[in-house]
């Protein structure tokens, strides 16, 4: 259910407008009923925004939950396409802005006054949430969003393909590079890390022994080890060992299922579909160690619910968020486990999630607990875009890593200066 957006230009320009970084106007919200007409038993209405999840039944589930809420008529905007972020943020500039929306905790949302403080909703049950989720959503001592699902991401592989090629499960990045070479044939690519190759941008840094930012919000990713890792991506790309033209991106399990690649980066949400298609011919491993002294890593994506602090119905929107994502444990469990696999953020739900207690799902949870890393709220959309462009420059265009890192540094430092002075 989670994917990094590759529509860099749309997102960059719109987000700068939305965050007050450029004086551009907003686009109209995408089609469908805005939910602004009065309705429901209470005569009140709310609108919620969701990106289009790939798993069958998700849209119907979200609408079913909303229908159960007696406090208002809740309309759902189901945003299709690869530019959910740009459509969301452009809509926040208009009178048709959603009352509640899913996104990730990011500092610029708070600094711009875009999201409401939800501490009063979460504090009474804070101890039941994964502590890492609470930490990632807490800024200036306040909790700004409610985590709905945790989405660990790692590598899936076809056991039969590795066995046939005489390849062991990679424990280091060098071994992954070697595996990609051995597994590549005239019909199969060894490795799929997304058509734009940016989906692993977080663990690329973490498993190289670095981080996006330091504790005092300075650049931490610009290291020799990260530069070397980027060079290895370039090596695999030039050699033709990376799948880059898949019909669907890495969030979708179809590339591995169809035999287009032997190893694929994706999320735990894809596990049920992969198990159904491949049975026992399926294994997983975390992003491997890329530098001496570093550790494997698992990127935890996930999605959270936020309240539009500039909306017309803030109190009612908070009431709805509390009702659905705090009080309705049955809906929360359904959302986490019935449409793909996700780790429930609520520990009381995770402890009773039988579907995750054995086999490959249990192994995924184990990797999540041992190696899971969360996004830094200070690492904003503009910084994400800068790092995506860095990867494209090095891997596709052959720009020297140090030069590309310097270019990214300039962009990231501009954003850091805006946020922190």
């Amino acid at each position: 259910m989670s994917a990094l957006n590759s529509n860099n230009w749309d997102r960059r320009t719109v987000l700068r407008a939305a965050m007050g970084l450029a004086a551009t106007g907003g686009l109209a919200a995408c089609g469908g009923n805005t939910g602004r007409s009065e309705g429901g038993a209470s005569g009140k209405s709310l609108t919620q925004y969701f990106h289009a999840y790939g798993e069958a039944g998700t849209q119907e589930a979200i609408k079913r939950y909303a229908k159960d809420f007696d406090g208002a008529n809740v309309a759902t905007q189901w945003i299709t396409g690869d530019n959910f972020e740009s459509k969301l943020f452009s809509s926040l500039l208009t009178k048709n802005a959603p009352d509640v929306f899913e996104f990730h905790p990011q500092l610029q949302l708070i600094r711009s006054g875009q999201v409401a403080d939800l501490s009063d909703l979460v504090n009474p049950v804070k101890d039941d949430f994964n502590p890492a989720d609470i930490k990632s959503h807490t800024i200036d001592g306040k909790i700004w969003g409610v985590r709905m699902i945790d989405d660990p991401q790692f590598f899936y592989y076809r056991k039969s393909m590795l066995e046939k090629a005489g390849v062991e499960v990679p424990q280091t990045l060098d071994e992954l590079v070697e595996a990609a070479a051995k597994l590549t044939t005239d019909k199969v690519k060894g490795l799929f890390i997304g058509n734009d190759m940016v989906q692993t941008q977080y663990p690329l840094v973490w498993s190289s022994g670095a981080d996006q930012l330091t504790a005092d919000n300075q650049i931490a990713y610009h290291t020799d080890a990260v530069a070397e890792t980027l060079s290895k991506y370039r090596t695999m790309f030039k050699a033709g060992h990376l799948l880059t033209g898949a019909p669907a991106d890495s969030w979708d399990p179809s590339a591995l299922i169809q035999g287009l690649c032997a190893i694929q980066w994706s999320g735990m949400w894809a596990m049920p579909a992969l198990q159904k298609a491949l049975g026992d011919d399926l294994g997983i491993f975390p992003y491997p160690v890329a530098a001496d002294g570093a550790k494997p890593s698992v990127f935890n994506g996930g999605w959270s619910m936020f309240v539009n602090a500039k909306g017309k119905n803030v109190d009612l929107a908070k009431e709805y968020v509390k009702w659905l994502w705090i009080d309705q444990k049955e809906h929360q469990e359904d959302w986490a486990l019935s449409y793909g696999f996700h780790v429930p953020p609520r520990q009381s739900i995770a402890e009773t999630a039988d579907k995750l207690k054995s086999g490959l799902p249990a192994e995924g949870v184990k990797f999540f607990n041992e190696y899971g890393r969360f996004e830094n709220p200070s690492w904003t959309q503009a910084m994400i875009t800068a790092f995506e462009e860095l990867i494209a420059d090095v891997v596709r265009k052959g720009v020297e890593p140090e030069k590309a890192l310097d270019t990214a540094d300039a962009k990231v430092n501009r954003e850091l200066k805006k946020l922190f002075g």
Side-chain angles (χ1 to χ4, degrees):
M1 286 193 190
S2 180
L4 291 171
N5 189 331
S6 61
N7 194 338
N8 294 338
W9 177 249
D10 279 351
R11 182 175 63 194
R12 183 167 64 251
T13 52
V14 175
L15 284 177
R16 283 177 178 170
M19 295 300 106
L21 302 180
T24 61
L27 304 174
C30 71
N33 185 347
T34 65
R36 291 297 171 185
S37 60
E38 295 301 316
S42 68
K44 300 175 182 178
S45 62
L46 294 171
T47 302
Q48 60 181 359
Y49 268 28
F50 280 78
H51 82 286
Y53 289 76
E55 297 87 340
T58 48
Q59 184 176 10
E60 292 80 5
I62 284 297
K63 291 183 176 181
R64 186 174 71 252
Y65 307 155
K67 190 175 180 180
D68 287 345
F69 181 60
D70 292 332
N73 173 39
V74 183
T76 301
Q77 288 280 353
W78 195 252
I79 312 297
T80 59
D82 291 332
N83 57 343
F84 168 72
E85 290 95 334
S86 65
K87 289 182 178 179
L88 167 64
F89 281 101
S90 65
S91 75
L92 290 174
L93 297 171
T94 74
K95 64 180 181 180
N96 290 325
D99 299 288
V100 299
F101 58 89
E102 65 170 1
F103 201 60
H104 318 289
Q106 291 198 357
L107 184 61
Q108 80 266 28
L109 287 170
I110 296 156
R111 291 288 172 84
S112 65
Q114 188 67 67
V115 295
D117 176 10
L118 303 185
S119 301
D120 57 331
L121 276 57
V122 180
N123 276 331
V125 294
K126 183 169 69 172
D127 292 343
D128 190 38
F129 275 86
N130 184 323
D133 282 320
I134 294 297
K135 180 180 179 181
S136 66
H137 290 67
T138 302
I139 298 173
D140 298 331
K142 299 176 182 178
I143 302 172
W144 299 93
V146 180
R147 194 68 152 184
M148 302 183 296
I149 46 174
D150 284 325
D151 278 334
Q153 299 172 35
F154 31 64
F155 284 111
Y156 290 92
Y157 66 94
R158 297 279 293 267
K159 292 180 179 179
S160 59
M161 289 186 176
L162 269 65
E163 183 178 353
K164 183 178 180 180
V167 172
E168 298 291 329
V169 176
Q171 303 297 312
T172 67
L173 182 62
D174 286 336
E175 292 177 4
L176 181 61
V177 173
E178 293 172 7
K182 292 180 180 179
L183 292 163
T184 297
T185 69
D186 58 345
K187 296 180 180 180
V188 178
K189 295 294 185 181
L191 182 63
F192 184 37
I193 53 175
N195 287 323
D196 52 11
M197 296 171 290
V198 303
Q199 305 299 327
T200 59
Q201 63 169 288
Y202 288 97
L204 177 162
V205 172
W206 297 332
S207 286
S208 299
D211 207 339
Q212 279 70 36
L213 299 171
T214 63
D216 60 348
N217 294 305
Q218 302 297 314
I219 287 173
Y221 61 80
H222 193 152
T223 67
D224 292 342
V226 169
E228 181 63 23
T229 296
L230 289 165
S231 294
K232 291 172 183 176
Y233 273 48
R234 170 66 177 172
T235 297
M236 289 190 287
F237 176 74
K238 280 187 66 180
H241 301 155
L242 298 179
L243 175 64
T244 57
D249 218 325
S250 62
W251 61 267
D252 187 287
S254 58
L256 196 67
I257 291 172
Q258 295 171 11
L260 302 179
C261 61
I263 302 173
Q264 174 178 341
W265 180 262
S266 196
M268 195 163 170
W269 61 82
M271 192 175 287
L274 284 163
Q275 287 183 303
K276 182 178 180 180
L278 303 177
D280 293 334
D281 190 26
L282 181 67
I284 59 174
F285 62 93
Y287 193 101
V289 172
D292 292 340
K295 297 179 181 179
S297 59
V298 168
F299 171 53
N300 182 51
W303 292 88
S304 306
M305 186 55 61
F306 297 89
V307 169
N308 180 8
K310 299 179 181 180
K312 299 177 182 178
N313 305 293
V314 174
D315 289 340
L316 181 60
K318 290 178 64 175
E319 180 184 338
Y320 172 65
V321 169
K322 178 182 183 298
W323 174 85
L324 180 52
W325 300 111
I326 301 293
D327 299 337
Q328 302 301 310
K329 285 193 173 184
E330 182 178 345
H331 289 336
Q332 295 161 37
E333 182 177 16
D334 180 67
W335 186 239
L337 300 171
S338 297
Y339 316 96
F341 287 160
H342 315 268
V343 180
R346 300 287 294 275
Q347 296 183 104
S348 59
I349 298 175
E351 288 167 0
T352 60
D354 291 339
K355 293 180 180 180
L356 305 182
K357 288 186 176 181
S358 62
L360 205 63
E363 190 175 354
V365 172
K366 180 174 181 288
F367 287 154
F368 168 74
N369 289 331
E370 289 185 1
Y371 306 122
R373 297 281 297 269
F374 289 64
E375 298 158 296
N376 184 338
S378 296
W379 187 251
T380 65
Q381 288 299 130
M383 299 176 199
I384 292 171
T385 298
F387 207 89
E388 290 177 349
E389 293 170 345
L390 158 66
I391 293 173
D393 285 345
V394 174
V395 181
R396 288 190 178 276
K397 300 177 183 178
V399 176
E400 287 298 318
E402 280 297 333
K403 182 178 179 181
L405 283 162
D406 287 341
T407 300
D409 289 352
K411 299 173 184 176
V412 172
N413 276 323
R414 282 198 297 268
E415 297 304 315
L416 289 172
K417 186 174 182 180
K418 292 172 184 176
L419 286 172
F420 302 106

